[in-house]
Amino acid sequence: MAGRDRIVHLLRQLERAACRCPAHSHTFHQGAAAAGGRKTDYAFEMASSNIRYGAGVSAEVGMDLQNLGAQNVCLMTDRTVSRLPPMQAVLESLVRNRVRFQVFDDVRVEPTDSSFKEAISFAKKDSFDVFVAVGGGSVIDTCKAANLYSCHPDADFLDFVNAPIGKGRPVTRALKPLIAVPTTAGTGSETTGVAIFDYEPLKAKTGIASRALRPTLGIVDPLHTLSMPERVAANSGFDVLCHALESYTALPYSQRAPCPTNPINRPAYQGSNPISDVWSRHALSVVSKYMKRAVRDSEDLEARSSMHLASVFAGIGFGNAGVHLCHGMSYPIAGNVKTHTARGYSVEHPLVPHGLSVVLTAPAVFSFTAPMCPERHLEAAEILGADVRQVKRADAGAVLADTLRRFLFDLQVEDGLGAVGYDKDDIPALVKGTLPQERVTKLSPRVHTEEDLSRLFETSMKLY
């Protein structure tokens, strides 16, 4: 009993030290007994992949596969990464350790349901006992989906896709081990149980979210980030920035509804919580210190290594707390792309890179959400370099929005949605594509309407 009392005491101390703004003034509830009849959750849980970090650590992947007793490995990547040093390092390790493997290198950057299905078909054709993903979030997410559906060969594709687009069924069967070797410093996919894709029939992004999808091991090798082009480094970094900001300002876990009747139904994205807060704040500090250096100098190993770690930190934060409006609104921005050509990307299709689609709405979004937790918005602005000593709580949104605009301008970000091919006539379609993203948008600390979303998209048409 003494141990339980100590835990209660520590949690109450955390609560007293926490933000007291309207969105975060929740109270501590003791034990599962509080769950009976509750409308909102009373607990949160932390989950993350095992992470191994170090320069050159990719050379160990072959030994890891030997240790797992792998007999037939599915190695996934994309056409660009397949020609780069990270893939070469992994291949050399596999060959050196006499690991049998087959390569699927047709992963699409910004995957679709069709490209997921191609990878799933490949995975089902053989009896793979371990999966390895070498690449950015697109590769890792595709590999997660291939692992999932190859282990559920009779499942319909929409069975595990998030509601309301899919059925959102829980994953109850164990998957094969998956080792993720990220080559970008952005998505944090090596830490999470989420796989995101464009659902072509609706022209909107959705995904699959289950802790079962988490990679067994994330091998984070900072040497791989040296091969990232400048704009890829920038857009990957913007994803880290918004992961940190959104998870830190998300609706608190104790205000998220419904309260699950069974812990298997507790979502991966649970709302802000004391543990995720630590990771998200620290990731934001690293972004503030190192991101501009990492973008401007591809040989700055300290900066690019730090951003690679920031991606992991933010991944642990948002992988358990979730994201909200920036990501929810980004999915139709990416899914409805017309003719925009992304600088620095070797792809043949129109593309608004994920990190760019997320950050273009950030100034408008955080100006909108600030009234619900102004202290957290001011703290974020301060971490990013703003002087907030004389700033009133009512001005928190404007200050963070201005701070973000300066940050984006310094990194030569396109001047709003208008610069990537959208205009006011597209707003209804963008709003329509955001509405199914309830898994993330419901974590906004501020309740929003379709009219609010329309105004946010309109405000985001021009940044500067």
Side-chain angles (χ1 to χ4, degrees), residues 256-449:
R256 193 200 72 253
C259 182
T261 56
N262 186 311
I264 196 173
N265 295 320
R266 181 167 284 116
Y269 287 0
Q270 302 164 93
S272 61
N273 60 77
I275 300 178
S276 284
D277 288 349
V278 174
W279 294 100
S280 300
R281 272 198 307 261
H282 186 59
L284 194 60
S285 297
V286 177
V287 167
S288 179
K289 183 175 181 179
Y290 289 107
M291 183 171 167
K292 291 179 183 179
R293 281 174 49 186
V295 172
R296 292 167 178 164
D297 184 359
S298 63
E299 296 182 357
D300 188 336
L301 182 59
E302 180 187 20
R304 291 216 163 181
S305 299
S306 297
M307 284 301 298
H308 213 16
L309 273 178
S311 177
V312 175
F313 299 154
I316 297 171
F318 92 86
N320 292 282
V323 287
H324 55 83
L325 288 177
C326 292
H327 272 76
M329 295 170 66
S330 79
Y331 298 150
I333 293 171
N336 287 275
V337 61
K338 301 174 185 177
T339 60
H340 181 69
T341 302
R343 292 179 287 161
Y345 289 77
S346 301
V347 295
E348 297 177 356
H349 54 274
L351 175 69
V352 179
H354 173 64
L356 178 61
S357 71
V358 169
V359 84
L360 287 175
T361 63
V365 163
F366 293 109
S367 181
F368 174 77
T369 58
M372 298 309 298
C373 43
E375 288 90 350
R376 290 190 174 220
H377 287 68
L378 284 175
E379 184 179 1
E382 185 174 33
I383 291 171
L384 291 172
D387 183 352
V388 302
R389 287 173 295 181
Q390 304 299 320
V391 176
K392 297 178 181 178
R393 294 168 76 252
D395 296 326
V399 170
L400 179 53
D402 287 344
T403 302
L404 287 168
R405 287 190 191 96
R406 287 194 295 272
F407 193 81
L408 303 187
F409 183 81
D410 287 347
L411 288 169
Q412 301 179 335
V413 173
E414 287 84 342
D415 189 11
L417 296 178
V420 297
Y422 291 104
D423 57 39
K424 290 184 179 180
D425 292 339
D426 296 309
I427 290 177
L430 294 172
V431 171
K432 182 180 178 181
T434 304
L435 294 178
Q437 312 303 330
E438 293 178 359
R439 178 181 64 92
V440 294
T441 57
K442 70 179 182 182
L443 291 173
S444 168
R446 183 175 176 181
V447 175
H448 52 278
T449 63

Side-chain angles (χ1 to χ4, degrees), residues 105-120:
D105 63 359
D106 205 22
V107 170
R108 177 186 166 100
V109 176
E110 302 297 337
T112 64
D113 53 315
S114 298
S115 71
F116 263 21
K117 289 173 183 177
E118 290 177 13
I120 291 165

Side-chain angles (χ1 to χ4, degrees), residues 128-241:
F128 296 113
D129 54 358
V130 182
F131 288 79
V132 176
V134 183
S138 295
V139 173
I140 299 172
D141 286 2
T142 299
C143 198
K144 290 174 183 176
N147 187 10
L148 171 65
Y149 287 96
S150 66
C151 292
H152 296 80
D154 298 325
D156 181 78
F157 181 73
L158 290 177
D159 280 352
F160 301 114
V161 174
N162 298 324
I165 291 174
K167 298 175 184 177
R169 290 180 175 169
V171 179
T172 57
R173 188 179 304 172
L175 306 188
K176 298 291 193 282
L178 191 160
I179 297 177
V181 186
T183 59
T184 61
T187 67
S189 187
E190 67 277 4
T191 70
T192 73
V194 178
I196 301 297
F197 64 94
D198 283 313
Y199 187 60
E200 294 169 302
L202 293 181
K203 292 186 176 180
K205 268 186 164 51
T206 183
I208 304 164
S210 170
R211 293 180 183 85
L213 266 65
R214 283 185 293 113
T216 311
L217 173 66
I219 295 181
V220 182
D221 187 337
L223 296 181
H224 295 341
T225 64
L226 300 179
S227 61
M228 278 195 299
E230 175 186 332
R231 295 323 299 171
V232 176
N235 292 326
S236 299
F238 294 139
D239 204 16
V240 180
L241 170 67

Side-chain angles (χ1 to χ4, degrees), residues 29 34-35 37-43 252-260:
H29 300 279
R38 281 185 59 86
K39 293 182 179 179
T40 58
D41 211 339
Y42 68 98
Y253 74 93
S254 59
Q255 294 181 24
R256 193 200 72 253
C259 182

